[in-house]
Amino acid sequence: MKNVKKGKRKKSDKPQFGLISKILLTINILVVVLYLTACYIGYVDPDSASYLALMPMAYPLFLIATIPTLLFWVVKHRRLMLITVCSWLATIPQICTFMPIHFNDIEQAQSKKGSYTLTTYNTLGFAGDKETKNAIIDEILEKNADFVCIQEGTTIDDLRYWHTDPDRIARLCARYPYVHFSNKNHTLGCFSKRPIGIIMEQSIGNYFYVEAYKTSGLGGEIYIINTHMESIGLTVDDKRLYMDLTQTAKKETLKGVRSHLLNKLLKADRQRAVQARLIKSIADSLRTVSPHTPLFICGDFNDPPYTYSYLTAKGNYSDAYTDAGVGYAHTYNRNRFYFRIDNIFYDDRLVEAEACRVGTSKASDHHSVTATFNNHNK
């Protein structure tokens, strides 16, 4: 009898793992699997990954979803915290890319002797009313970068034609005496404080453009690649459907997402994959020709971090916002597509990013990205 009672006492002393815990454990494992897939599916070509290739777009949601189960295990079964904790440890590079913590002051970095500042800005063609056009020019002047890569731009003559404030145009031209805009639709262009040479221009279709420039800075010559990659591929009606989706869970809306949104998103994603490989080949060629010349890749990539096109275009280069930015940031600011799709990549063998900030103006549908660099030996 004593042995039986002793056995019952031991059984009652065991921690209870009830139905709710089992359900939470299943959900936890599922969320972690989805989270890890979103983190690493970008290393697979979209042609092979199919719809999974779109998962990095939802990375922040998957990361947030891992938190409630972690808190539950803190109270109930602490050992099971390791499921989420290990997934975070396995994705430290992704977490640091989406939420870097660098409080360097960009104005102080710009004031250092020998520094070089780049801005990339999709200006939406400087479109809108007079106030909006002025706000875009004002932001460019405020950032005071040495070189400004423009996507969806326009010429100075067009700004004058639209009756943009002449004083602002005069200040822009005085600050940046060297101006270039591509021959096709003026989609790509640049403003520079120093002379620029156009190495190459190429466009494919209506949305993909890439140019390479040579200019001076950081104590010598530098190369800058400017690109606008394939648009996300959604029409105004598609974006309305997405807006509806974020407000309601109607069956017809979900059906619309499957038939109208996902297919278009995947098609555009596959196009960007091809374009990213072309950008990488251009960067590789420039590095081969001049391995000791700093090279930067700027532009509107239309894809968030850790997608296939982001990883391919970046190659062995570093992301300026990851290395010198602060906090979660988005560069697209319309239709609830709050993604960081504008980037500045750089060759960290030769230079270092000292500060990087995303703009806050909503004059365009994109925020600007500005980064300041210095030589390693400065």
Coordinates of all heavy atoms in Angstrom, one line a residue, residues 46-136:
P46 N 12.8 32.2 -57.1 CA 11.3 32.2 -57.1 C 10.7 31.2 -58.1 O 9.6 30.7 -57.9 CB 10.9 33.6 -57.5 CG 12.1 34.4 -57.1 CD 13.3 33.6 -57.3
D47 N 11.4 30.9 -59.2 CA 10.9 29.9 -60.1 C 10.7 28.5 -59.4 O 9.9 27.7 -59.8 CB 11.8 29.7 -61.3 CG 11.7 30.9 -62.3 OD1 10.6 31.5 -62.3 OD2 12.6 31.2 -63.0
S48 N 11.6 28.3 -58.4 CA 11.5 27.0 -57.7 C 10.6 27.1 -56.4 O 10.0 26.1 -56.0 CB 12.9 26.5 -57.3 OG 13.7 26.4 -58.5
A49 N 10.6 28.3 -55.8 CA 9.9 28.4 -54.5 C 8.4 28.7 -54.7 O 7.7 28.5 -53.7 CB 10.6 29.6 -53.8
S50 N 8.0 29.1 -55.9 CA 6.6 29.3 -56.1 C 6.1 30.4 -55.1 O 6.8 31.4 -54.8 CB 5.7 28.1 -56.0 OG 4.4 28.3 -56.4
Y51 N 4.9 30.2 -54.6 CA 4.3 31.3 -53.7 C 5.1 31.5 -52.4 O 4.9 32.5 -51.7 CB 2.8 30.9 -53.4 CG 1.9 31.0 -54.6 CD1 1.4 29.9 -55.2 CD2 1.6 32.3 -55.2 CE1 0.5 30.0 -56.3 CE2 0.8 32.4 -56.3 CZ 0.3 31.2 -56.8 OH -0.5 31.3 -57.9
L52 N 5.8 30.5 -52.0 CA 6.7 30.6 -50.8 C 7.6 31.8 -50.9 O 8.1 32.4 -49.9 CB 7.4 29.4 -50.5 CG 6.6 28.1 -50.1 CD1 7.5 26.9 -49.9 CD2 5.8 28.4 -48.8
A53 N 8.0 32.2 -52.2 CA 8.9 33.3 -52.4 C 8.4 34.6 -51.9 O 9.1 35.5 -51.7 CB 9.2 33.4 -53.9
L54 N 7.1 34.7 -51.7 CA 6.4 35.9 -51.2 C 6.4 36.1 -49.7 O 6.1 37.1 -49.2 CB 5.0 36.0 -51.8 CG 4.8 35.9 -53.3 CD1 3.3 35.9 -53.6 CD2 5.5 37.0 -54.0
M55 N 6.8 35.0 -49.0 CA 6.8 35.0 -47.6 C 7.6 36.1 -46.9 O 7.2 36.6 -45.8 CB 7.1 33.6 -47.0 CG 6.0 32.6 -47.3 SD 6.3 31.0 -46.5 CE 6.1 31.4 -44.8
P56 N 8.8 36.4 -47.4 CA 9.6 37.5 -46.7 C 8.8 38.8 -46.6 O 9.1 39.6 -45.7 CB 10.8 37.7 -47.6 CG 11.0 36.3 -48.3 CD 9.6 35.8 -48.5
M57 N 7.8 39.0 -47.4 CA 7.0 40.2 -47.3 C 6.2 40.3 -46.0 O 5.9 41.4 -45.5 CB 6.0 40.3 -48.5 CG 6.6 40.4 -49.9 SD 5.4 40.4 -51.2 CE 4.7 42.1 -51.0
A58 N 6.0 39.1 -45.4 CA 5.2 39.0 -44.2 C 6.2 38.8 -43.0 O 5.7 38.4 -41.9 CB 4.2 38.0 -44.2
Y59 N 7.5 38.9 -43.2 CA 8.4 38.6 -42.1 C 8.1 39.3 -40.8 O 8.1 38.7 -39.7 CB 9.8 39.0 -42.5 CG 10.8 39.0 -41.4 CD1 11.5 37.8 -41.0 CD2 11.1 40.2 -40.6 CE1 12.3 37.8 -39.9 CE2 12.0 40.2 -39.6 CZ 12.6 39.0 -39.2 OH 13.4 39.0 -38.1
P60 N 7.8 40.6 -40.8 CA 7.5 41.3 -39.4 C 6.3 40.6 -38.7 O 6.3 40.5 -37.5 CB 7.2 42.7 -39.8 CG 7.9 42.9 -41.1 CD 7.8 41.6 -41.9
L61 N 5.3 40.2 -39.5 CA 4.1 39.6 -38.9 C 4.5 38.2 -38.3 O 4.0 37.9 -37.2 CB 3.0 39.4 -39.9 CG 2.5 40.7 -40.6 CD1 1.4 40.3 -41.6 CD2 1.9 41.6 -39.5
F62 N 5.3 37.4 -39.0 CA 5.7 36.2 -38.4 C 6.6 36.3 -37.2 O 6.5 35.6 -36.2 CB 6.5 35.4 -39.5 CG 5.6 34.9 -40.6 CD1 6.0 35.1 -41.9 CD2 4.5 34.1 -40.4 CE1 5.2 34.6 -43.0 CE2 3.7 33.7 -41.4 CZ 4.1 33.9 -42.7
L63 N 7.5 37.4 -37.2 CA 8.3 37.6 -36.0 C 7.4 38.0 -34.8 O 7.6 37.5 -33.7 CB 9.3 38.7 -36.3 CG 10.2 39.2 -35.1 CD1 11.0 38.0 -34.6 CD2 11.1 40.3 -35.6
I64 N 6.5 38.9 -35.0 CA 5.6 39.3 -33.9 C 4.8 38.1 -33.4 O 4.5 37.9 -32.2 CB 4.6 40.4 -34.4 CG1 5.4 41.7 -34.7 CG2 3.5 40.6 -33.4 CD1 4.6 42.8 -35.4
A65 N 4.4 37.2 -34.4 CA 3.6 36.0 -34.0 C 4.3 35.1 -33.1 O 3.7 34.3 -32.3 CB 3.1 35.3 -35.2
T66 N 5.6 35.1 -33.1 CA 6.4 34.2 -32.2 C 6.4 34.7 -30.7 O 6.7 33.9 -29.8 CB 7.8 34.1 -32.6 OG1 8.5 35.4 -32.6 CG2 7.9 33.5 -34.1
I67 N 6.0 35.9 -30.5 CA 6.1 36.5 -29.1 C 5.1 35.9 -28.2 O 5.4 35.6 -27.0 CB 6.1 38.0 -29.2 CG1 7.3 38.5 -30.0 CG2 6.1 38.6 -27.8 CD1 7.3 40.0 -30.2
P68 N 3.8 35.9 -28.5 CA 2.7 35.4 -27.6 C 3.0 34.0 -27.0 O 2.9 33.8 -25.8 CB 1.4 35.4 -28.4 CG 1.7 36.4 -29.4 CD 3.1 36.3 -29.8
T69 N 3.4 33.1 -27.9 CA 3.7 31.7 -27.4 C 4.9 31.7 -26.4 O 4.9 31.0 -25.4 CB 4.0 30.8 -28.5 OG1 4.9 31.3 -29.4 CG2 2.7 30.5 -29.3
L70 N 5.9 32.6 -26.7 CA 7.1 32.7 -25.8 C 6.6 33.1 -24.4 O 7.0 32.6 -23.4 CB 8.1 33.7 -26.4 CG 9.3 33.9 -25.5 CD1 10.2 32.7 -25.5 CD2 10.0 35.2 -26.0
L71 N 5.7 34.1 -24.4 CA 5.3 34.6 -23.1 C 4.5 33.6 -22.4 O 4.5 33.5 -21.1 CB 4.4 35.9 -23.3 CG 5.1 37.1 -24.0 CD1 4.1 38.2 -24.2 CD2 6.3 37.5 -23.1
F72 N 3.7 32.8 -23.1 CA 2.9 31.7 -22.5 C 3.9 30.7 -21.8 O 3.6 30.2 -20.7 CB 2.0 31.0 -23.5 CG 1.2 29.9 -23.0 CD1 0.0 30.1 -22.3 CD2 1.7 28.6 -23.1 CE1 -0.7 29.1 -21.8 CE2 0.9 27.5 -22.6 CZ -0.3 27.8 -22.0
W73 N 4.9 30.3 -22.5 CA 5.9 29.3 -22.0 C 6.6 29.9 -20.8 O 7.0 29.1 -19.9 CB 6.9 28.8 -23.0 CG 6.3 28.2 -24.2 CD1 6.6 28.4 -25.5 CD2 5.2 27.2 -24.3 NE1 5.9 27.6 -26.4 CE2 5.0 26.9 -25.6 CE3 4.4 26.6 -23.3 CZ2 4.0 26.0 -26.0 CZ3 3.5 25.7 -23.7 CH2 3.3 25.4 -25.0
V74 N 6.8 31.2 -20.7 CA 7.5 31.8 -19.5 C 6.7 31.4 -18.3 O 7.3 31.2 -17.2 CB 7.6 33.3 -19.7 CG1 8.0 34.0 -18.4 CG2 8.6 33.6 -20.8
V75 N 5.4 31.4 -18.4 CA 4.5 31.2 -17.3 C 4.3 29.7 -17.0 O 4.4 29.2 -15.9 CB 3.1 31.8 -17.5 CG1 2.2 31.5 -16.3 CG2 3.3 33.3 -17.6
K76 N 4.1 28.9 -18.1 CA 3.7 27.5 -18.0 C 4.9 26.5 -18.0 O 5.0 25.7 -17.1 CB 2.7 27.2 -19.1 CG 1.4 27.8 -18.9 CD 0.6 27.2 -17.7 CE -0.8 27.8 -17.6 NZ -1.5 27.2 -16.4
H77 N 5.6 26.5 -19.1 CA 6.7 25.5 -19.3 C 7.9 26.2 -19.9 O 8.1 26.3 -21.1 CB 6.2 24.4 -20.3 CG 4.9 23.8 -19.8 ND1 4.8 22.9 -18.8 CD2 3.7 23.9 -20.3 CE1 3.6 22.5 -18.6 NE2 2.8 23.1 -19.6
R78 N 8.8 26.7 -19.0 CA 9.9 27.5 -19.5 C 10.8 26.8 -20.5 O 11.5 27.5 -21.3 CB 10.7 28.0 -18.3 CG 9.9 28.9 -17.4 CD 10.7 29.5 -16.3 NE 9.9 30.5 -15.5 CZ 10.4 31.1 -14.4 NH1 11.7 30.9 -14.1 NH2 9.7 32.0 -13.8
R79 N 10.9 25.5 -20.3 CA 11.8 24.8 -21.3 C 11.4 25.0 -22.7 O 12.2 25.0 -23.6 CB 11.9 23.3 -20.9 CG 12.6 23.0 -19.6 CD 12.7 21.5 -19.4 NE 13.4 21.2 -18.2 CZ 13.6 20.0 -17.7 NH1 13.2 18.9 -18.4 NH2 14.3 19.8 -16.6
L80 N 10.1 25.1 -22.9 CA 9.6 25.2 -24.3 C 9.9 26.6 -24.9 O 9.6 26.8 -26.1 CB 8.1 24.9 -24.3 CG 7.7 23.5 -24.0 CD1 6.3 23.2 -24.0 CD2 8.4 22.5 -25.0
M81 N 10.3 27.5 -24.1 CA 10.8 28.8 -24.6 C 11.9 28.6 -25.6 O 12.1 29.5 -26.5 CB 11.3 29.7 -23.5 CG 10.3 30.2 -22.5 SD 11.1 31.0 -21.0 CE 12.2 32.1 -21.8
L82 N 12.6 27.6 -25.5 CA 13.8 27.3 -26.4 C 13.3 27.2 -27.9 O 14.1 27.5 -28.8 CB 14.5 26.1 -26.0 CG 15.3 26.1 -24.6 CD1 15.8 24.8 -24.3 CD2 16.4 27.2 -24.7
I83 N 12.1 26.8 -28.1 CA 11.6 26.7 -29.5 C 11.7 28.1 -30.2 O 12.3 28.2 -31.3 CB 10.2 26.2 -29.5 CG1 10.1 24.8 -28.9 CG2 9.7 26.2 -31.0 CD1 8.7 24.3 -28.8
T84 N 11.2 29.1 -29.5 CA 11.2 30.4 -30.1 C 12.6 31.1 -30.0 O 13.1 31.7 -30.9 CB 10.2 31.3 -29.4 OG1 8.9 30.8 -29.6 CG2 10.2 32.7 -29.9
V85 N 13.2 30.9 -28.8 CA 14.5 31.5 -28.6 C 15.5 31.0 -29.7 O 16.3 31.8 -30.2 CB 15.0 31.2 -27.2 CG1 16.5 31.7 -27.1 CG2 14.2 32.0 -26.2
C86 N 15.5 29.7 -29.9 CA 16.4 29.1 -30.9 C 16.2 29.6 -32.3 O 17.1 29.8 -33.1 CB 16.4 27.6 -30.9 SG 17.1 26.8 -29.4
S87 N 14.9 29.8 -32.6 CA 14.5 30.4 -33.9 C 15.1 31.8 -34.1 O 15.5 32.2 -35.1 CB 13.0 30.4 -34.2 OG 12.4 31.3 -33.4
W88 N 15.0 32.6 -33.0 CA 15.6 33.9 -33.0 C 17.1 33.9 -33.2 O 17.7 34.7 -33.9 CB 15.2 34.7 -31.7 CG 13.7 35.0 -31.7 CD1 12.8 34.9 -32.7 CD2 13.1 35.6 -30.5 NE1 11.6 35.3 -32.2 CE2 11.7 35.8 -30.9 CE3 13.4 35.9 -29.3 CZ2 10.7 36.3 -30.1 CZ3 12.5 36.5 -28.4 CH2 11.1 36.6 -28.8
L89 N 17.7 33.0 -32.5 CA 19.2 32.9 -32.6 C 19.6 32.5 -34.0 O 20.7 33.0 -34.5 CB 19.7 31.9 -31.5 CG 19.6 32.3 -30.1 CD1 20.1 31.1 -29.2 CD2 20.4 33.5 -29.8
A90 N 18.8 31.7 -34.6 CA 19.1 31.2 -36.0 C 18.9 32.3 -37.0 O 19.3 32.2 -38.2 CB 18.3 30.0 -36.3
T91 N 18.2 33.4 -36.6 CA 17.9 34.5 -37.6 C 18.4 35.8 -37.1 O 17.7 36.9 -37.4 CB 16.3 34.5 -37.8 OG1 15.7 34.7 -36.5 CG2 15.8 33.2 -38.4
I92 N 19.4 35.9 -36.4 CA 20.0 37.1 -35.9 C 20.3 38.1 -37.1 O 20.0 39.3 -37.0 CB 21.3 36.9 -35.0 CG1 20.8 36.3 -33.7 CG2 22.0 38.2 -34.8 CD1 22.0 35.9 -32.8
P93 N 20.9 37.6 -38.2 CA 21.1 38.5 -39.3 C 19.9 39.2 -39.8 O 19.8 40.4 -40.2 CB 21.8 37.6 -40.4 CG 22.4 36.5 -39.6 CD 21.5 36.3 -38.5
Q94 N 18.8 38.4 -39.9 CA 17.5 38.9 -40.4 C 16.9 40.0 -39.4 O 16.4 41.0 -39.8 CB 16.5 37.8 -40.6 CG 16.8 37.0 -41.9 CD 17.8 35.8 -41.6 OE1 18.5 35.8 -40.5 NE2 17.8 34.8 -42.5
I95 N 17.0 39.6 -38.1 CA 16.5 40.6 -37.1 C 17.2 41.9 -37.2 O 16.7 43.0 -37.1 CB 16.5 39.9 -35.7 CG1 15.6 38.7 -35.6 CG2 16.2 40.9 -34.6 CD1 15.7 37.9 -34.4
C96 N 18.6 41.8 -37.3 CA 19.4 43.0 -37.3 C 19.2 43.8 -38.6 O 19.4 45.0 -38.6 CB 20.9 42.6 -37.2 SG 21.3 42.0 -35.6
T97 N 18.8 43.1 -39.7 CA 18.5 43.8 -40.9 C 17.2 44.6 -40.8 O 17.1 45.7 -41.3 CB 18.5 42.8 -42.1 OG1 19.8 42.3 -42.3 CG2 18.0 43.5 -43.4
F98 N 16.2 44.0 -40.2 CA 14.9 44.6 -40.1 C 14.8 45.6 -39.0 O 14.1 46.6 -39.1 CB 13.8 43.6 -39.9 CG 13.4 42.9 -41.2 CD1 14.0 41.8 -41.7 CD2 12.3 43.4 -42.0 CE1 13.6 41.1 -42.8 CE2 11.9 42.8 -43.1 CZ 12.6 41.7 -43.6
M99 N 15.6 45.4 -37.9 CA 15.5 46.3 -36.8 C 16.9 46.6 -36.2 O 17.2 46.2 -35.1 CB 14.6 45.7 -35.7 CG 13.2 45.6 -36.1 SD 12.2 44.9 -34.8 CE 12.8 43.2 -34.7
P100 N 17.7 47.3 -37.0 CA 19.1 47.6 -36.5 C 19.0 48.7 -35.4 O 18.1 49.5 -35.4 CB 19.8 48.1 -37.8 CG 18.7 48.7 -38.6 CD 17.5 47.8 -38.4
I101 N 20.0 48.7 -34.6 CA 20.1 49.7 -33.5 C 21.5 50.4 -33.6 O 22.5 50.0 -33.0 CB 19.9 49.0 -32.1 CG1 18.6 48.2 -32.1 CG2 19.9 50.1 -31.0 CD1 17.4 49.0 -32.2
H102 N 21.5 51.5 -34.3 CA 22.7 52.3 -34.5 C 22.3 53.8 -34.3 O 21.5 54.3 -35.2 CB 23.4 52.1 -35.8 CG 23.7 50.7 -36.1 ND1 24.8 50.0 -35.5 CD2 23.1 49.8 -36.9 CE1 24.8 48.8 -35.9 NE2 23.8 48.6 -36.8
F103 N 22.7 54.4 -33.3 CA 22.2 55.8 -33.0 C 23.2 56.9 -33.5 O 23.2 58.0 -33.0 CB 22.0 56.0 -31.5 CG 20.8 55.1 -31.0 CD1 21.1 53.9 -30.3 CD2 19.5 55.5 -31.3 CE1 20.0 53.1 -29.9 CE2 18.4 54.7 -30.8 CZ 18.7 53.5 -30.1
N104 N 24.0 56.5 -34.5 CA 25.0 57.5 -35.0 C 24.2 58.7 -35.6 O 23.2 58.6 -36.2 CB 25.9 56.9 -36.0 CG 26.6 55.7 -35.5 OD1 26.6 55.4 -34.3 ND2 27.3 55.0 -36.4
D105 N 24.8 59.9 -35.4 CA 24.1 61.1 -35.9 C 24.6 61.4 -37.3 O 25.8 61.5 -37.5 CB 24.5 62.3 -35.0 CG 23.8 63.6 -35.4 OD1 22.6 63.8 -35.0 OD2 24.4 64.3 -36.2
I106 N 23.7 61.5 -38.2 CA 24.1 61.6 -39.7 C 24.7 62.9 -40.0 O 25.6 63.1 -40.8 CB 22.9 61.3 -40.6 CG1 23.4 61.0 -42.0 CG2 21.9 62.4 -40.6 CD1 22.4 60.3 -42.9
E107 N 24.2 64.0 -39.3 CA 24.8 65.3 -39.5 C 26.2 65.4 -39.0 O 27.1 66.0 -39.6 CB 23.9 66.4 -38.8 CG 22.6 66.5 -39.5 CD 21.8 67.7 -38.8 OE1 22.3 68.3 -37.9 OE2 20.6 67.9 -39.3
Q108 N 26.5 64.7 -37.9 CA 27.8 64.7 -37.4 C 28.7 63.9 -38.3 O 29.9 64.2 -38.5 CB 27.8 64.1 -36.0 CG 29.2 64.0 -35.3 CD 29.2 63.5 -33.9 OE1 28.1 63.2 -33.4 NE2 30.3 63.3 -33.3
A109 N 28.2 62.8 -38.8 CA 29.0 61.9 -39.7 C 29.3 62.7 -41.0 O 30.4 62.6 -41.6 CB 28.2 60.7 -40.1
Q110 N 28.3 63.5 -41.5 CA 28.6 64.3 -42.7 C 29.6 65.4 -42.5 O 30.3 65.8 -43.5 CB 27.3 65.0 -43.1 CG 26.3 64.1 -43.9 CD 25.1 64.8 -44.4 OE1 24.1 65.0 -43.6 NE2 25.1 65.2 -45.6
S111 N 29.7 65.9 -41.3 CA 30.7 66.9 -41.0 C 32.1 66.5 -41.0 O 33.1 67.3 -41.0 CB 30.3 67.6 -39.7 OG 30.5 66.7 -38.6
K112 N 32.4 65.1 -40.9 CA 33.7 64.6 -40.9 C 34.4 64.8 -42.2 O 33.8 64.7 -43.2 CB 33.7 63.1 -40.5 CG 33.3 62.8 -39.1 CD 33.4 61.3 -38.8 CE 33.0 61.0 -37.4 NZ 33.1 59.6 -37.1
K113 N 35.7 65.2 -42.1 CA 36.5 65.4 -43.3 C 36.6 64.1 -44.1 O 36.9 63.1 -43.6 CB 37.9 65.9 -42.9 CG 38.7 66.3 -44.1 CD 40.1 66.8 -43.7 CE 40.9 67.2 -44.8 NZ 42.3 67.7 -44.4
G114 N 36.4 64.2 -45.4 CA 36.5 63.1 -46.3 C 35.3 62.2 -46.4 O 35.3 61.2 -47.1
S115 N 34.2 62.5 -45.7 CA 33.0 61.7 -45.7 C 32.3 61.9 -47.0 O 32.5 62.8 -47.8 CB 32.1 62.0 -44.6 OG 31.6 63.3 -44.7
Y116 N 31.5 60.9 -47.4 CA 30.7 61.0 -48.6 C 29.3 60.5 -48.3 O 29.1 59.5 -47.7 CB 31.3 60.1 -49.7 CG 30.8 60.4 -51.1 CD1 31.3 61.4 -51.8 CD2 29.8 59.6 -51.6 CE1 30.9 61.7 -53.1 CE2 29.4 59.8 -52.9 CZ 29.9 60.9 -53.7 OH 29.4 61.1 -54.9
T117 N 28.3 61.3 -48.7 CA 26.9 61.1 -48.4 C 26.1 60.8 -49.7 O 26.2 61.5 -50.7 CB 26.2 62.2 -47.7 OG1 27.0 62.4 -46.4 CG2 24.8 61.9 -47.3
L118 N 25.3 59.7 -49.7 CA 24.5 59.3 -50.8 C 23.0 59.3 -50.3 O 22.7 59.0 -49.2 CB 24.8 57.9 -51.2 CG 26.1 57.6 -52.0 CD1 26.2 56.1 -52.3 CD2 26.0 58.3 -53.4
T119 N 22.2 59.8 -51.2 CA 20.7 59.7 -51.0 C 20.1 59.0 -52.2 O 20.5 59.2 -53.4 CB 20.1 61.1 -50.9 OG1 20.5 61.7 -49.7 CG2 18.6 61.0 -50.9
T120 N 19.2 58.1 -52.0 CA 18.4 57.5 -53.0 C 16.9 57.8 -52.8 O 16.5 57.8 -51.6 CB 18.6 55.9 -53.1 OG1 17.8 55.4 -54.2 CG2 18.2 55.2 -51.8
Y121 N 16.2 58.2 -53.8 CA 14.9 58.8 -53.6 C 14.0 58.5 -54.9 O 14.4 59.0 -56.0 CB 15.0 60.3 -53.4 CG 13.8 61.0 -52.8 CD1 13.9 62.3 -52.4 CD2 12.7 60.3 -52.5 CE1 12.8 63.0 -51.8 CE2 11.6 60.9 -51.8 CZ 11.7 62.3 -51.5 OH 10.6 62.9 -50.9
N122 N 13.0 57.8 -54.7 CA 12.0 57.7 -55.7 C 11.0 58.8 -55.5 O 10.2 58.9 -54.6 CB 11.2 56.3 -55.6 CG 10.2 56.1 -56.7 OD1 9.5 57.0 -57.1 ND2 10.1 54.9 -57.2
T123 N 11.0 59.8 -56.4 CA 10.3 61.1 -56.3 C 8.9 61.1 -56.9 O 8.3 62.1 -56.8 CB 11.1 62.2 -56.9 OG1 11.2 62.0 -58.3 CG2 12.5 62.3 -56.3
L124 N 8.5 59.9 -57.5 CA 7.2 59.9 -58.1 C 7.1 61.0 -59.2 O 6.0 61.6 -59.3 CB 6.1 60.0 -57.0 CG 4.6 59.7 -57.5 CD1 4.6 58.2 -57.9 CD2 3.6 60.0 -56.4
G125 N 8.2 61.2 -59.9 CA 8.2 62.2 -60.9 C 8.0 63.6 -60.5 O 7.6 64.5 -61.2
F126 N 8.4 63.9 -59.2 CA 8.1 65.2 -58.6 C 6.7 65.6 -58.8 O 6.3 66.8 -59.1 CB 9.0 66.2 -59.2 CG 10.5 66.1 -58.9 CD1 11.3 65.2 -59.5 CD2 11.0 66.8 -57.8 CE1 12.6 65.1 -59.2 CE2 12.3 66.7 -57.5 CZ 13.2 65.8 -58.1
A127 N 5.8 64.6 -58.8 CA 4.4 64.8 -59.2 C 3.6 65.4 -58.1 O 4.0 65.5 -57.0 CB 3.7 63.5 -59.7
G128 N 2.4 65.8 -58.4 CA 1.5 66.4 -57.4 C 1.3 67.9 -57.6 O 1.6 68.5 -58.6
D129 N 0.8 68.5 -56.6 CA 0.6 70.0 -56.7 C 1.9 70.7 -56.4 O 3.0 70.1 -56.1 CB -0.5 70.4 -55.7 CG -0.2 70.0 -54.3 OD1 1.0 69.8 -53.9 OD2 -1.1 70.0 -53.5
K130 N 1.9 72.0 -56.4 CA 3.1 72.8 -56.3 C 3.8 72.6 -54.9 O 5.0 72.4 -54.8 CB 2.8 74.3 -56.4 CG 4.0 75.2 -56.4 CD 3.6 76.6 -56.7 CE 4.8 77.5 -56.8 NZ 4.4 78.9 -57.1
E131 N 2.9 72.4 -53.9 CA 3.5 72.2 -52.5 C 4.2 70.9 -52.5 O 5.3 70.8 -51.9 CB 2.4 72.3 -51.5 CG 2.9 72.0 -50.1 CD 1.7 72.0 -49.1 OE1 0.6 72.3 -49.5 OE2 2.0 71.8 -47.9
T132 N 3.7 69.9 -53.1 CA 4.3 68.6 -53.0 C 5.6 68.6 -53.8 O 6.6 68.1 -53.3 CB 3.4 67.5 -53.7 OG1 2.2 67.4 -53.0 CG2 4.1 66.1 -53.7
K133 N 5.7 69.2 -54.9 CA 6.9 69.3 -55.7 C 8.0 70.1 -54.9 O 9.2 69.7 -54.9 CB 6.7 70.0 -57.0 CG 5.9 69.1 -58.0 CD 5.7 69.8 -59.4 CE 4.6 70.9 -59.2 NZ 4.2 71.4 -60.5
N134 N 7.6 71.1 -54.2 CA 8.5 71.9 -53.4 C 9.0 71.1 -52.3 O 10.2 71.1 -51.9 CB 7.8 73.2 -52.9 CG 7.6 74.2 -54.0 OD1 8.2 74.1 -55.0 ND2 6.8 75.2 -53.7
A135 N 8.1 70.2 -51.7 CA 8.6 69.4 -50.5 C 9.6 68.4 -50.9 O 10.5 68.2 -50.1 CB 7.3 68.7 -49.9
I136 N 9.5 67.9 -52.1 CA 10.6 66.9 -52.6 C 11.9 67.6 -52.8 O 12.9 67.1 -52.3 CB 10.1 66.2 -53.9 CG1 8.9 65.3 -53.6 CG2 11.3 65.4 -54.5 CD1 8.3 64.7 -54.8

